[in-house]
Amino acid sequence: MSVEAEVWHYDGRNANRWQPRLVGDAAAFSLIGEGWESGPYAWADLQAPAPALQVIGRRDVRSNNSWMHNLPMLAKGPERCTLEVHPDDARRLGLADGGTATVQRGEASLQVPVRLSDAVMPGVVSLPHGWGHALPGSRLGIAAERPGANLNALFDGRATDPLSGNAVLAGVAVDVRALN
């Protein structure tokens, strides 16, 4: 099966039009085209077993953007920067609701409060985007009182999705363990 696709790439000055061909089937495919940059693309090995846990982000109506963490009316209330974990995974990992977990990917790690939820499926943990207000240079005074964890610290900023060119910010394998 062959599907033609038009791809635009912006190099900082010019928009370049490429017409690579997507060749293959649902199990494996490759991107072919003149001028296509090589890079750390996030090609999935569809034959490999799924990782035990993958992290995804999430949004909350009261913290849709990080600047909303600096408004007193929206910043109050329960902790929102929590790691949502399915109860089955929590039992397997020894995590307790309200406890603290370490989420690790390579050398990067975060310590986050745990919230058990069946809103995430087993094998998936969810941590919201837009937190990490304790980092140097942060000037959000109210938000710094409840800084949360910066989910992006776990990701390789160079890894991109090969079809969209977007940064890989979800579905990334992580290790999670209870912090004692």
Side-chain angles (χ1 to χ4, degrees):
M1 174 194 337
S2 175
V3 177
E4 296 291 328
E6 181 177 293
V7 177
W8 287 84
H9 170 72
Y10 182 69
D11 66 4
R13 287 186 328 212
N14 302 304
N16 300 305
R17 183 176 168 207
W18 294 320
Q19 290 185 335
R21 282 186 297 140
L22 195 57
V23 181
D25 58 25
F29 60 85
S30 61
L31 192 58
I32 305 166
E34 285 295 319
W36 188 261
E37 294 180 303
S38 62
Y41 298 123
W43 293 106
D45 179 356
L46 300 177
Q47 303 305 316
L53 286 175
Q54 296 181 55
V55 67
I56 61 170
R58 71 174 186 275
R59 297 287 186 190
D60 181 277
V61 70
R62 292 176 66 146
S63 67
N64 220 11
N65 294 300
S66 58
W67 64 266
M68 296 172 83
H69 302 163
N70 214 43
L71 298 173
M73 188 63 147
L74 297 177
K76 66 183 182 179
E79 178 70 57
R80 285 177 200 77
C81 188
T82 59
L83 184 70
E84 287 189 355
V85 181
H86 190 277
D88 294 346
D89 288 327
R91 276 190 292 279
R92 179 174 56 82
L93 298 168
L95 300 172
D97 194 42
T100 303
T102 297
V103 181
Q104 186 164 359
R105 180 171 183 264
E107 298 297 315
S109 67
L110 305 170
Q111 279 73 47
V112 293
V114 173
R115 187 174 85 194
L116 302 187
S117 172
D118 60 6
V120 294
M121 62 187 278
V124 174
V125 293
S126 177
L127 190 64
H129 289 284
W131 295 83
H133 305 303
L135 298 172
S138 176
R139 297 185 314 207
L140 300 173
I142 294 168
E145 295 171 14
R146 298 171 78 179
N150 182 1
L151 174 60
N152 290 344
L154 296 175
F155 303 131
D156 178 352
R158 300 165 299 161
T160 58
D161 173 74
L163 297 178
S164 69
N166 290 331
V168 176
L169 300 175
V172 174
V174 292
D175 294 313
V176 176
R177 65 183 181 283
L179 186 65
N180 297 329

